[in-house]
Amino acid sequence: MTDQLAIREIADDDIAETIALWNAAGVARPWNDPARDIAFARRDDHSTVLVGVEDGRIVASAMVGEDGHRGWVYYVAIALERQRSGFGHIMMQAAEDWLIKRGVWKVQLLVRADNAKAARFYEQLGYRDTQSVCLQKILEV
Ligand SMILES: CC(C)(COP(=O)(O)OP(=O)(O)OC[C@H]1O[C@@H](n2cnc3c(N)ncnc32)[C@H](O)[C@@H]1OP(=O)(O)O)[C@@H](O)C(=O)NCCC(=O)NCCS
């Protein structure tokens, strides 16, 4: 299983293909600019985007980073035709390893309330609902 998927940090040439994966998998949102999100995750060593490559094609991704307090994972996406092949599990393990290497001991992520499929996936990996509400505000930068 792991032999099929090579995991590495995203490179400049991977960006368009990664955004296409996000669109196909349904993790891209019209109000988020994916290219901006990728550039921001790559701006320093607090975060990155990991991609999973199979037969030269990007079929998996996970954005991972730490904010000085907790680890966070975003944009976990597997190509539609490769879902339920264990790739999601492998990408989450790679994201957790990235955090563990940096001494981060708690990781969290956001799951949209209507994404029961993803919630079951994360629960199976040991993630639990913190019974918190996520509040957000857009800042002018
Ligand atoms: C959610 C997602 C990342 C899971 O990745 P995946 O590669 O399909 O998952 P895996 O094959 O590693 O599954 C591991 C286990 O998680 C659970 N799981 C995965 N998908 C599931 C589903 N649709 N329903 C119930 N359980 C599921 C199962 O226990 C599975 O093990 P099994 O296949 O042996 O039963 C993938 O389906 C995806 O990209 N979905 C669309 C984008 C998305 O919703 N991302 C999450 C945003 S928060």
Side-chain angles (χ1 to χ4, degrees), residues 25-27 75-80 82-90 109-112 115-122 124-125:
V27 294
Y75 287 113
V76 178
I78 308 302
L80 295 179
R82 299 303 281 133
Q83 291 181 7
R84 294 309 280 267
S85 306
F87 287 178
H89 189 157
I90 293 168
L109 45 84
L110 300 170
V111 181
R112 293 186 190 279
N115 197 349
K117 186 175 110 172
R120 282 196 296 276
F121 164 70
Y122 292 121
Q124 187 270 341
L125 296 181

Side-chain angles (χ1 to χ4, degrees), residues 15 29 38 58 63 67 76 80 95 103 110 112 115-116 128:
I15 293 172
R29 300 287 156 178
I38 291 171
I58 294 174
M63 180 184 284
D67 60 13
V76 178
L80 295 179
L110 300 170
R112 293 186 190 279
N115 197 349
R128 296 294 173 257

